[in-house]
Amino acid sequence: MATRTIAGKTVAVNEEGFMTNPAEWTQEIAVEIAKEEGIEELTEAHWKVINFCREVGAASGKAPTLRTITNGAGITTKEMFTLFPKGPAKKVAHIAGLGKPEGCV
Amino acid sequence: MKKLLILGAGTAGTMVANRLNRMLDMDEWQITLVDQDPVHYYQPGFLFIPFGVYSKKDVIKPKRNFIPPQIKLIQSEIEIIEPEHNRVRLTGGLYLDYDYLIIATGADIHPEETPGLAEHEWNQSIFTFYSFEGSVELWKKLQTWEGGRMVVNVVENPIKCPVAPLEFLMLADWFFHERGIRDRVELVYATPLPGAFTKPMASKMLGELLVQKGIHVEPEFYIERADPDEKKIVSYDEREVPFDLLVTIPLNKGAEVVGKSGLGDELNYSPVNKYTFLSDKFDNIFVLGDASNAPASKAGSVTHYAIDLFGENFIRYTSGQKLVENFDGHANCFLESGFGKGLLIDFNYTQEPLPGRYPLPGVGPFTLLEESEANHWGKLMFRWMYWNILLKGQELPFPPTMTMAGKWKA
């Protein structure tokens, strides 16, 4: 299993750069990965979604799909695309230290 | 008598009914199957109808032909499942009680969930081949279509048979070549995925194949709406893709009855243990086929392998033993790539599709992730196997769990 150092911490990642152990995640790591994803600053709205995804991840062991997020976090699909442009579910899973959403087989 | 109730007599329901009918002691068990539709559709055949390769009669047969006489088949809609009372209410008020319930109600398309799709241009310039009627309408259209920009769009994943949109595009390339109008047709694939397919190796190799065939991919395209008058589809991030002919793969959802019975997720797929298909909520309910939320491909081949293992597991479980967590998400599918050729992919929950050779004594090997004529014949042979072997719950000469034999590792 590959590792990489993000925000001064060495964490396990898969071949697509997704963290494989959600317990290694920190808020600093989220800020760093968000920058790599082209999001310069994580606002309160971003954190609301990230925290929701962390909760779903902790309960189910899986990253939520876009539909789970829009249903559960009180946010529209359109807003998700503004916050996390292009693939929002994948992008937020990456930032939240969860695996790739399983919806896409 | 112990009562087993199976909801849905499609691919999964029919296969498991036949399998358990053979495996269970029918002096002790009563199996009842409920489905609202008397017709069994060979769904993989819908892909071929628009191009005139298959006709209507190739893909429909009466359900009754595939159900053994010991099993009671009821034709009815299902009103609601009442798992707390171990019973199901049919439309019309009849109650069926059960000791064990198998939900095999499948998944279906919902074009009405995307604004602009199922409106006045439906079956005029906007089509789908994900239904029997839709594929026949598209066949009629393609008879006289004189070319232009054909856009294939997947609304949202998961969909049934995730490779079918790619096959459709490659068959379209071949079809328009044969008609001598390929130079007047632009082929575009707008997909929510970052590339041609989900898994890296297959995405790369299939992506290259699409480039060779002159098919343009518009990746990460999440459709918000179609504009039937201006003939364009618009994504959530406001990209626009114009079309002359739109072929949509609408949102796929599980059966509404699953959702309203409190057994579904946000898309009405029922949460299960992905290795055994036991419901997360009730210990006498299993969910097989497309109806579950297992993160395997929604395809008949997956269901077939799953049921190979499920039969024995069900016997174990109902005689008081523990379920064995043995299903690995194994799928293999022949992909039609046009010009009499095809590809084969073979994968599971953890192993992505790889190139190589798929060994099969007497017939194979079949080339994996690479075009060959043998794969095309494999694909066409599959229709015969489906009607004559698979539905009857008989075993194929393929192992149910995936093997690495013949696969080339990177």
Side-chain angles (χ1 to χ4, degrees):
Chain A
M1 185 65 75
T3 60
R4 61 170 292 207
T5 305
I6 316 170
K9 201 174 161 188
T10 303
V11 298
V13 291
N14 72 7
E15 68 276 11
E16 292 178 85
F18 284 79
M19 287 175 63
T20 51
N21 180 2
E24 293 177 335
W25 179 86
T26 63
Q27 295 198 344
E28 291 71 35
I29 288 177
V31 172
E32 203 64 28
I33 299 179
K35 281 190 184 137
E36 290 169 15
E37 288 279 12
I39 301 166
E40 280 310 311
E41 198 196 337
L42 289 177
T43 63
E44 200 177 316
H46 287 104
W47 280 112
K48 190 177 150 201
V49 176
I50 294 167
N51 290 335
F52 173 78
C53 293
R54 290 288 303 173
E55 282 167 30
V56 173
S60 70
K62 290 185 289 202
T65 62
L66 182 58
R67 200 167 271 272
T68 311
I69 299 169
T70 53
N71 275 9
I75 182 168
T76 66
T77 309
K78 193 95 184 162
E79 289 164 340
M80 278 297 289
F81 273 87
T82 312
L83 291 174
F84 304 94
K86 291 212 161 181
K90 194 176 147 192
K91 207 160 264 193
V92 74
H94 189 196
I95 295 169
L98 304 168
K100 194 171 165 179
E102 271 183 341
C104 35
V105 176
Chain B
M1 288 289 262
K2 281 184 270 188
K3 289 179 181 169
L4 169 64
L5 178 58
I6 304 172
L7 303 181
T11 306
T14 304
M15 282 197 291
V16 77
N18 276 293
R19 183 61 69 98
L20 292 178
N21 180 57
R22 266 209 320 280
M23 296 177 81
L24 293 170
D25 180 349
M26 292 303 278
D27 292 331
E28 286 180 22
W29 286 84
Q30 184 187 59
I31 304 179
T32 306
L33 197 50
V34 183
D35 198 295
Q36 59 189 341
D37 192 337
V39 177
H40 191 107
Y41 296 94
Y42 175 58
Q43 296 186 56
F46 296 173
L47 169 70
F48 291 104
I49 287 179
F51 307 110
V53 178
Y54 286 169
S55 63
K56 291 184 195 180
K57 67 172 174 25
D58 292 320
V59 302
I60 52 175
K61 291 188 194 290
K63 280 204 162 96
R64 175 73 58 190
N65 292 7
F66 302 95
I67 312 297
Q70 302 88 320
I71 294 178
K72 190 174 175 189
L73 176 64
I74 299 176
Q75 191 193 321
S76 169
E77 272 183 54
I78 302 153
E79 181 72 33
I80 199 143
I81 304 163
E82 298 178 358
E84 287 87 1
H85 300 105
N86 295 324
R87 67 183 187 183
V88 168
R89 190 168 80 231
L90 303 182
T91 306
L94 182 70
Y95 278 101
L96 299 172
D97 52 352
Y98 59 81
D99 297 295
Y100 293 92
L101 179 69
I102 293 176
I103 299 174
T105 42
D108 210 347
I109 54 166
H110 290 266
E112 74 285 357
E113 297 255 6
T114 306
L117 287 184
E119 293 173 14
H120 52 281
E121 282 296 307
W122 189 243
N123 289 336
Q124 301 296 319
S125 62
I126 303 177
F127 292 84
T128 187
F129 65 96
Y130 264 60
S131 70
F132 176 66
E133 296 76 18
S135 64
V136 173
E137 289 299 323
L138 186 49
W139 170 71
K140 289 181 198 158
K141 177 75 180 184
L142 291 185
Q143 298 297 298
T144 56
W145 195 53
E146 291 184 345
R149 196 173 154 89
M150 177 191 270
V151 176
V152 175
N153 173 238
V154 173
V155 167
E156 184 176 326
N157 285 303
I159 57 168
K160 294 199 262 195
C161 191
V163 293
L166 296 172
E167 296 182 273
F168 182 87
L169 283 156
M170 293 193 284
L171 281 169
D173 169 58
W174 161 77
F175 178 80
F176 295 126
H177 264 288
E178 293 285 302
R179 281 192 53 204
I181 60 166
R182 180 62 181 93
D183 57 333
R184 281 185 271 146
V185 177
E186 213 182 323
L187 292 172
V188 179
Y189 183 39
T191 168
L193 295 175
F197 197 61
T198 47
K199 307 289 165 118
M201 182 65 88
S203 186
K204 179 171 168 286
M205 297 184 80
L206 293 170
E208 285 166 6
L209 197 56
L210 294 185
V211 170
Q212 280 171 28
K213 291 178 186 290
I215 298 165
H216 171 74
V217 179
E218 185 73 34
E220 294 179 328
F221 189 92
Y222 291 78
I223 186 174
E224 182 190 14
R225 64 191 167 89
D227 189 327
D229 298 315
E230 290 194 28
K231 301 260 187 298
K232 62 183 183 188
I233 52 174
V234 183
S235 69
Y236 280 106
D237 53 3
E238 281 150 30
R239 276 180 290 157
E240 297 184 352
V241 173
F243 64 84
D244 295 304
L245 187 60
L246 174 64
V247 177
T248 178
I249 291 88
L251 179 69
N252 282 211
K253 285 166 85 170
E256 202 194 327
V257 66
V258 171
K260 77 178 180 191
S261 304
L263 291 165
D265 65 11
E266 62 274 3
L267 285 170
N268 295 336
Y269 296 123
S270 196
V272 292
N273 177 312
K274 67 180 179 179
Y275 305 108
T276 65
F277 304 100
L278 183 66
S279 162
D280 283 354
K281 281 192 173 171
F282 294 92
D283 64 5
N284 62 342
I285 298 182
F286 291 90
V287 186
L288 295 176
D290 297 348
S292 89
N293 79 335
S297 294
K298 295 196 177 297
S301 81
V302 177
T303 306
H304 166 73
Y305 291 129
I307 289 172
D308 263 356
L309 298 165
F310 174 78
E312 283 172 23
N313 234 349
F314 186 76
I315 307 281
R316 259 184 227 119
Y317 190 64
T318 53
S319 58
Q321 291 170 267
K322 275 194 169 162
L323 288 166
V324 180
E325 297 204 331
N326 54 8
F327 183 63
D328 66 351
H330 186 199
N332 61 13
C333 18
F334 288 109
L335 266 82
E336 194 64 14
S337 59
F339 299 94
K341 290 186 180 174
L343 293 86
L344 177 64
I345 57 174
D346 190 61
F347 57 107
N348 68 13
Y349 284 139
T350 50
Q351 178 57 56
E352 64 161 321
L354 291 177
R357 296 283 177 271
Y358 186 85
L360 183 64
V363 193
F366 293 103
T367 55
L368 289 165
L369 260 179
E370 187 189 320
E371 286 189 285
S372 74
E373 287 177 18
N375 287 335
H376 165 70
W377 293 112
K379 177 105 185 171
L380 295 186
M381 180 178 77
F382 197 77
R383 179 168 61 95
W384 184 89
M385 293 206 304
Y386 182 86
W387 290 122
N388 295 285
I389 301 177
L390 281 184
L391 278 186
K392 294 175 180 164
Q394 286 161 8
E395 282 170 36
L396 287 181
F398 304 99
T401 50
M402 202 199 69
T403 164
M404 286 303 287
K407 292 188 175 62
W408 301 335
K409 286 183 223 180

